[in-house]
Short mmCIF file of all heavy atoms in Angstrom, two decimals:
data_model
loop_
_atom_site.label_atom_id
_atom_site.label_comp_id
_atom_site.label_asym_id
_atom_site.label_seq_id
_atom_site.Cartn_x
_atom_site.Cartn_y
_atom_site.Cartn_z
N SER A 1 68.62 148.64 122.63
CA SER A 1 68.59 147.88 121.39
C SER A 1 67.20 147.12 121.20
O SER A 1 66.65 147.10 120.10
CB SER A 1 69.70 146.87 121.35
OG SER A 1 69.71 146.17 120.13
N VAL A 2 66.67 146.58 122.29
CA VAL A 2 65.43 145.82 122.27
C VAL A 2 64.35 146.80 121.78
O VAL A 2 63.42 146.40 121.05
CB VAL A 2 65.11 145.17 123.62
CG1 VAL A 2 63.66 144.64 123.57
CG2 VAL A 2 66.12 144.07 123.94
N THR A 3 64.40 148.06 122.22
CA THR A 3 63.34 149.00 121.91
C THR A 3 63.62 149.73 120.58
O THR A 3 62.92 150.61 120.19
CB THR A 3 63.16 150.01 123.01
OG1 THR A 3 64.37 150.76 123.21
CG2 THR A 3 62.71 149.43 124.32
N GLY A 4 64.72 149.36 119.87
CA GLY A 4 65.01 149.92 118.58
C GLY A 4 66.06 150.97 118.43
O GLY A 4 66.28 151.50 117.42
N LEU A 5 66.78 151.26 119.55
CA LEU A 5 67.86 152.25 119.49
C LEU A 5 69.21 151.53 119.52
O LEU A 5 69.45 150.72 120.33
CB LEU A 5 67.78 153.16 120.72
CG LEU A 5 66.46 153.92 120.89
CD1 LEU A 5 66.49 154.66 122.27
CD2 LEU A 5 66.39 154.99 119.78
N GLY A 6 70.06 151.93 118.59
CA GLY A 6 71.36 151.38 118.61
C GLY A 6 71.48 149.98 117.96
O GLY A 6 70.47 149.49 117.38
N HIS A 7 72.60 149.42 118.12
CA HIS A 7 72.95 148.12 117.43
C HIS A 7 73.56 147.11 118.37
O HIS A 7 74.36 146.18 117.97
CB HIS A 7 73.92 148.35 116.26
CG HIS A 7 73.33 149.28 115.29
ND1 HIS A 7 72.39 148.99 114.40
CD2 HIS A 7 73.69 150.63 115.03
CE1 HIS A 7 72.11 150.00 113.67
NE2 HIS A 7 72.90 151.04 114.06
N HIS A 8 73.19 147.11 119.65
CA HIS A 8 73.65 146.19 120.63
C HIS A 8 73.15 144.75 120.23
O HIS A 8 72.00 144.68 119.72
CB HIS A 8 73.18 146.55 122.03
CG HIS A 8 73.82 145.80 123.12
ND1 HIS A 8 73.37 144.47 123.46
CD2 HIS A 8 74.79 146.07 123.94
CE1 HIS A 8 74.09 144.03 124.49
NE2 HIS A 8 74.99 144.98 124.79
N PRO A 9 73.93 143.72 120.34
CA PRO A 9 73.53 142.40 119.88
C PRO A 9 72.39 141.73 120.78
O PRO A 9 71.93 140.68 120.56
CB PRO A 9 74.79 141.57 119.92
CG PRO A 9 75.61 142.24 121.00
CD PRO A 9 75.30 143.71 120.85
N ARG A 10 71.91 142.41 121.89
CA ARG A 10 70.90 141.98 122.76
C ARG A 10 71.33 140.62 123.44
O ARG A 10 70.51 139.82 123.79
CB ARG A 10 69.61 141.69 121.97
CG ARG A 10 69.11 142.96 121.35
CD ARG A 10 67.81 142.67 120.60
NE ARG A 10 67.43 143.87 119.83
CZ ARG A 10 66.45 143.87 119.00
NH1 ARG A 10 65.69 142.82 118.86
NH2 ARG A 10 66.18 144.94 118.30
N PHE A 11 72.61 140.48 123.67
CA PHE A 11 73.12 139.32 124.38
C PHE A 11 74.21 139.85 125.35
O PHE A 11 75.14 140.47 124.88
CB PHE A 11 73.69 138.39 123.33
CG PHE A 11 74.35 137.11 123.94
CD1 PHE A 11 73.54 136.08 124.39
CD2 PHE A 11 75.75 137.08 124.09
CE1 PHE A 11 74.17 134.93 124.93
CE2 PHE A 11 76.31 135.92 124.60
CZ PHE A 11 75.49 134.87 125.02
N VAL A 12 74.11 139.61 126.61
CA VAL A 12 75.06 140.06 127.60
C VAL A 12 75.41 138.92 128.53
O VAL A 12 74.53 138.15 129.02
CB VAL A 12 74.52 141.23 128.46
CG1 VAL A 12 75.44 141.62 129.51
CG2 VAL A 12 74.14 142.48 127.60
N ILE A 13 76.77 138.71 128.75
CA ILE A 13 77.19 137.74 129.74
C ILE A 13 77.96 138.54 130.76
O ILE A 13 78.89 139.25 130.44
CB ILE A 13 78.10 136.64 129.11
CG1 ILE A 13 77.41 135.81 128.11
CG2 ILE A 13 78.64 135.78 130.20
CD1 ILE A 13 78.26 134.79 127.39
N HIS A 14 77.50 138.45 132.00
CA HIS A 14 78.31 139.00 133.10
C HIS A 14 78.89 137.80 133.88
O HIS A 14 78.15 137.12 134.54
CB HIS A 14 77.42 139.89 134.02
CG HIS A 14 77.14 141.16 133.49
ND1 HIS A 14 75.91 141.85 133.71
CD2 HIS A 14 77.83 142.02 132.71
CE1 HIS A 14 75.96 143.04 133.15
NE2 HIS A 14 77.09 143.16 132.44
N ASP A 15 80.17 137.66 133.70
CA ASP A 15 80.87 136.53 134.37
C ASP A 15 81.45 137.13 135.64
O ASP A 15 82.23 138.00 135.71
CB ASP A 15 82.00 136.04 133.47
CG ASP A 15 82.67 134.83 134.05
OD1 ASP A 15 82.08 134.16 134.93
OD2 ASP A 15 83.78 134.50 133.61
N SER A 16 80.97 136.51 136.74
CA SER A 16 81.36 137.03 138.09
C SER A 16 82.26 135.96 138.73
O SER A 16 81.77 134.92 139.27
CB SER A 16 80.13 137.26 138.97
OG SER A 16 80.48 137.71 140.17
N PRO A 17 83.57 136.22 138.78
CA PRO A 17 84.45 135.18 139.43
C PRO A 17 84.13 135.10 140.90
O PRO A 17 83.61 136.06 141.52
CB PRO A 17 85.83 135.81 139.24
CG PRO A 17 85.72 136.88 138.27
CD PRO A 17 84.31 137.30 138.21
N ARG A 18 84.31 133.90 141.48
CA ARG A 18 83.95 133.68 142.85
C ARG A 18 84.45 134.72 143.84
O ARG A 18 83.71 135.20 144.71
CB ARG A 18 84.44 132.32 143.29
CG ARG A 18 84.03 131.96 144.68
CD ARG A 18 84.60 130.60 145.05
NE ARG A 18 84.00 130.23 146.32
CZ ARG A 18 83.22 129.19 146.58
NH1 ARG A 18 82.97 128.33 145.59
NH2 ARG A 18 82.73 128.94 147.72
N SER A 19 85.67 135.23 143.57
CA SER A 19 86.21 136.23 144.57
C SER A 19 85.56 137.60 144.34
O SER A 19 85.70 138.44 145.18
CB SER A 19 87.69 136.33 144.30
OG SER A 19 87.92 136.82 143.00
N SER A 20 84.81 137.77 143.29
CA SER A 20 84.21 139.07 143.00
C SER A 20 82.71 139.09 142.92
O SER A 20 82.07 139.88 142.24
CB SER A 20 84.79 139.65 141.66
OG SER A 20 86.19 139.71 141.74
N ASP A 21 82.08 138.04 143.62
CA ASP A 21 80.63 137.98 143.49
C ASP A 21 79.99 139.31 143.99
O ASP A 21 80.45 139.95 144.88
CB ASP A 21 80.10 136.82 144.35
CG ASP A 21 79.93 135.52 143.50
OD1 ASP A 21 80.05 135.67 142.28
OD2 ASP A 21 79.65 134.58 144.09
N ILE A 22 78.87 139.55 143.37
CA ILE A 22 78.12 140.74 143.72
C ILE A 22 77.38 140.41 145.12
O ILE A 22 76.96 139.34 145.31
CB ILE A 22 77.01 140.95 142.66
CG1 ILE A 22 77.64 141.21 141.30
CG2 ILE A 22 76.07 142.16 143.01
CD1 ILE A 22 76.67 141.26 140.11
N GLU A 23 77.28 141.41 145.88
CA GLU A 23 76.53 141.28 147.22
C GLU A 23 75.10 140.76 146.84
O GLU A 23 74.47 141.31 145.92
CB GLU A 23 76.53 142.52 148.00
CG GLU A 23 77.87 142.81 148.55
CD GLU A 23 77.86 143.97 149.53
OE1 GLU A 23 76.77 144.28 150.08
OE2 GLU A 23 78.90 144.61 149.69
N GLU A 24 74.60 139.87 147.71
CA GLU A 24 73.36 139.21 147.41
C GLU A 24 72.15 140.18 147.20
O GLU A 24 71.43 140.03 146.21
CB GLU A 24 73.01 138.18 148.48
CG GLU A 24 71.86 137.27 148.15
CD GLU A 24 71.70 136.13 149.07
OE1 GLU A 24 72.64 135.37 149.21
OE2 GLU A 24 70.62 136.00 149.68
N PRO A 25 71.94 141.21 148.05
CA PRO A 25 70.82 142.08 147.83
C PRO A 25 70.85 142.81 146.45
O PRO A 25 69.89 142.89 145.73
CB PRO A 25 70.81 143.06 148.95
CG PRO A 25 71.60 142.40 150.04
CD PRO A 25 72.63 141.51 149.34
N LEU A 26 72.10 143.23 146.07
CA LEU A 26 72.23 143.91 144.82
C LEU A 26 72.05 142.93 143.64
O LEU A 26 71.38 143.24 142.62
CB LEU A 26 73.56 144.56 144.71
CG LEU A 26 73.94 145.36 143.41
CD1 LEU A 26 72.95 146.46 143.12
CD2 LEU A 26 75.34 145.90 143.46
N PHE A 27 72.63 141.78 143.76
CA PHE A 27 72.50 140.69 142.76
C PHE A 27 71.03 140.34 142.58
O PHE A 27 70.58 140.23 141.43
CB PHE A 27 73.31 139.50 143.25
CG PHE A 27 73.21 138.26 142.46
CD1 PHE A 27 73.80 138.17 141.19
CD2 PHE A 27 72.44 137.21 142.94
CE1 PHE A 27 73.67 137.02 140.43
CE2 PHE A 27 72.31 136.09 142.17
CZ PHE A 27 72.93 135.99 140.91
N HIS A 28 70.35 140.13 143.66
CA HIS A 28 68.88 139.78 143.54
C HIS A 28 68.07 140.89 142.86
O HIS A 28 67.21 140.58 142.04
CB HIS A 28 68.31 139.44 144.92
CG HIS A 28 68.79 138.09 145.34
ND1 HIS A 28 68.28 137.50 146.52
CD2 HIS A 28 69.66 137.18 144.84
CE1 HIS A 28 68.89 136.32 146.67
NE2 HIS A 28 69.71 136.09 145.71
N GLN A 29 68.33 142.15 143.20
CA GLN A 29 67.63 143.25 142.58
C GLN A 29 67.94 143.35 141.12
O GLN A 29 67.04 143.61 140.29
CB GLN A 29 67.91 144.53 143.31
CG GLN A 29 67.09 145.73 142.81
CD GLN A 29 65.58 145.43 143.04
OE1 GLN A 29 65.16 144.71 143.89
NE2 GLN A 29 64.77 146.04 142.21
N LEU A 30 69.20 143.06 140.72
CA LEU A 30 69.57 143.08 139.29
C LEU A 30 68.77 142.01 138.56
O LEU A 30 68.20 142.31 137.48
CB LEU A 30 71.08 142.79 139.24
CG LEU A 30 71.65 142.79 137.86
CD1 LEU A 30 71.54 144.19 137.16
CD2 LEU A 30 73.12 142.43 137.89
N PHE A 31 68.56 140.86 139.09
CA PHE A 31 67.79 139.81 138.44
C PHE A 31 66.36 140.26 138.35
O PHE A 31 65.71 140.05 137.29
CB PHE A 31 67.84 138.51 139.28
CG PHE A 31 68.70 137.46 138.65
CD1 PHE A 31 70.01 137.26 139.10
CD2 PHE A 31 68.22 136.64 137.69
CE1 PHE A 31 70.78 136.29 138.57
CE2 PHE A 31 68.97 135.62 137.15
CZ PHE A 31 70.34 135.50 137.56
N ARG A 32 65.81 140.84 139.41
CA ARG A 32 64.39 141.31 139.39
C ARG A 32 64.14 142.37 138.29
O ARG A 32 63.18 142.34 137.61
CB ARG A 32 63.95 141.84 140.73
CG ARG A 32 63.86 140.71 141.73
CD ARG A 32 63.41 141.18 143.09
NE ARG A 32 63.41 140.14 144.07
CZ ARG A 32 64.32 139.98 145.06
NH1 ARG A 32 65.30 140.93 145.23
NH2 ARG A 32 64.29 139.00 145.87
N VAL A 33 65.09 143.29 138.15
CA VAL A 33 64.96 144.40 137.11
C VAL A 33 64.90 143.76 135.76
O VAL A 33 64.05 144.02 134.91
CB VAL A 33 66.04 145.43 137.28
CG1 VAL A 33 66.16 146.32 136.03
CG2 VAL A 33 65.86 146.21 138.54
N VAL A 34 65.90 142.91 135.40
CA VAL A 34 65.95 142.30 134.10
C VAL A 34 64.73 141.42 133.87
O VAL A 34 64.17 141.44 132.75
CB VAL A 34 67.25 141.51 133.89
CG1 VAL A 34 67.29 140.80 132.61
CG2 VAL A 34 68.45 142.50 133.94
N ARG A 35 64.31 140.74 134.86
CA ARG A 35 63.10 139.88 134.67
C ARG A 35 61.89 140.71 134.42
O ARG A 35 61.01 140.43 133.57
CB ARG A 35 62.88 139.08 136.03
CG ARG A 35 61.50 138.32 136.18
CD ARG A 35 61.46 137.26 135.07
NE ARG A 35 60.32 136.49 135.29
CZ ARG A 35 59.50 136.00 134.39
NH1 ARG A 35 59.76 136.21 133.14
NH2 ARG A 35 58.42 135.28 134.73
N SER A 36 61.84 141.94 135.04
CA SER A 36 60.65 142.85 134.86
C SER A 36 60.60 143.29 133.40
O SER A 36 59.46 143.56 132.84
CB SER A 36 60.70 144.00 135.79
OG SER A 36 61.70 144.93 135.38
N TRP A 37 61.70 143.37 132.72
CA TRP A 37 61.77 143.81 131.28
C TRP A 37 60.97 142.87 130.41
O TRP A 37 60.42 143.25 129.45
CB TRP A 37 63.16 143.94 130.80
CG TRP A 37 63.88 145.10 131.40
CD1 TRP A 37 63.36 146.17 132.16
CD2 TRP A 37 65.26 145.35 131.36
NE1 TRP A 37 64.31 147.00 132.52
CE2 TRP A 37 65.53 146.53 132.06
CE3 TRP A 37 66.34 144.71 130.77
CZ2 TRP A 37 66.80 147.05 132.21
CZ3 TRP A 37 67.64 145.24 130.91
CH2 TRP A 37 67.78 146.42 131.60
N GLU A 38 61.03 141.56 130.73
CA GLU A 38 60.32 140.60 129.95
C GLU A 38 58.80 140.90 129.91
O GLU A 38 58.12 140.66 128.93
CB GLU A 38 60.54 139.21 130.49
CG GLU A 38 61.88 138.66 130.24
CD GLU A 38 62.12 137.26 130.71
OE1 GLU A 38 61.27 136.77 131.52
OE2 GLU A 38 63.03 136.57 130.20
N GLY A 39 58.28 141.44 131.00
CA GLY A 39 56.89 141.83 131.04
C GLY A 39 56.48 142.97 130.10
O GLY A 39 55.32 143.25 129.90
#
């Protein structure tokens, strides 16, 4: 959507309940990927 394809609202909330937290290495990589998009 950010690049002009589709109609996604460009807003995502991933709510991770305490019992279902993502494993730290995967969680950290996810943050890094999304952060890289800002560049």
